Amino acid sequence: MLDLLANFSVYALSAFGVFVIAMLLITLATKHKEFELIGKGNQAAALSFGGKLFGVALVLGSAIAHSVSLVDMVIWGFIGLVAQLLFFYLSELITIRFSISEAIEKDNKAVGILLLLLSLSIGWIIASCLTY
């Protein structure tokens, strides 16, 4: 039983470490300041940022479920994170008719919802790709 608890703890701490790194990289990758906007009650920023985080969580969950070792899980977690960030930049093409950062700063909830769902969709696709 202690072996299982130790194994769980190591995987959980490692996954949370990757998650925190992902959170930091996401905040660095965006032009607007999510935490500052969220602190001011900007719902679009919260939707967009929350979607990115949940997308990363989907990828990490798949990496945990399908990894053969802790190192394998961390590697695939970072690969998924990089893929998530690349697709985030590609999403700029989908939204080329408006500036994402400007829309988020103006609390455009429609854009926030679109980015939330886009991030979840991307996370699900990447997570599913990690199963093969």
Side-chain angles (χ1 to χ4, degrees), residues 23-34:
M23 191 166 49
L24 294 173
L25 291 176
I26 289 168
T27 58
L28 292 173
T30 55
K31 296 174 188 170
H32 51 274
K33 305 292 183 210
E34 280 99 350

Side-chain angles (χ1 to χ4, degrees), residues 86-105:
L86 287 174
F87 281 109
F88 168 72
Y89 284 117
L90 288 175
S91 69
E92 294 275 343
L93 296 175
I94 294 171
T95 58
I96 201 155
R97 299 185 80 185
F98 55 87
S99 166
I100 289 176
S101 288
E102 188 177 308
I104 294 296
E105 287 173 4

Side-chain angles (χ1 to χ4, degrees), residues 10-111:
V10 169
Y11 269 79
L13 289 173
S14 298
F16 283 123
V18 173
F19 187 79
V20 168
I21 291 169
M23 191 166 49
L24 294 173
L25 291 176
I26 289 168
T27 58
L28 292 173
T30 55
K31 296 174 188 170
H32 51 274
K33 305 292 183 210
E34 280 99 350
F35 287 113
E36 184 179 319
L37 292 171
I38 293 167
K40 293 178 180 177
N42 186 309
Q43 293 177 7
L47 289 165
S48 174
F49 189 62
K52 290 174 195 155
L53 293 179
F54 195 76
V56 168
L58 289 171
V59 172
L60 283 172
S62 181
I64 292 166
H66 298 98
S67 64
V68 295
S69 69
L70 181 65
V71 173
D72 187 51
M73 183 272 293
V74 171
I75 289 170
W76 283 108
F78 276 111
I79 289 171
L81 168 60
V82 169
Q84 188 91 349
L85 289 171
L86 287 174
F87 281 109
F88 168 72
Y89 284 117
L90 288 175
S91 69
E92 294 275 343
L93 296 175
I94 294 171
T95 58
I96 201 155
R97 299 185 80 185
F98 55 87
S99 166
I100 289 176
S101 288
E102 188 177 308
I104 294 296
E105 287 173 4
K106 290 182 178 179
D107 200 13
N108 184 327
K109 290 170 193 60
V111 172

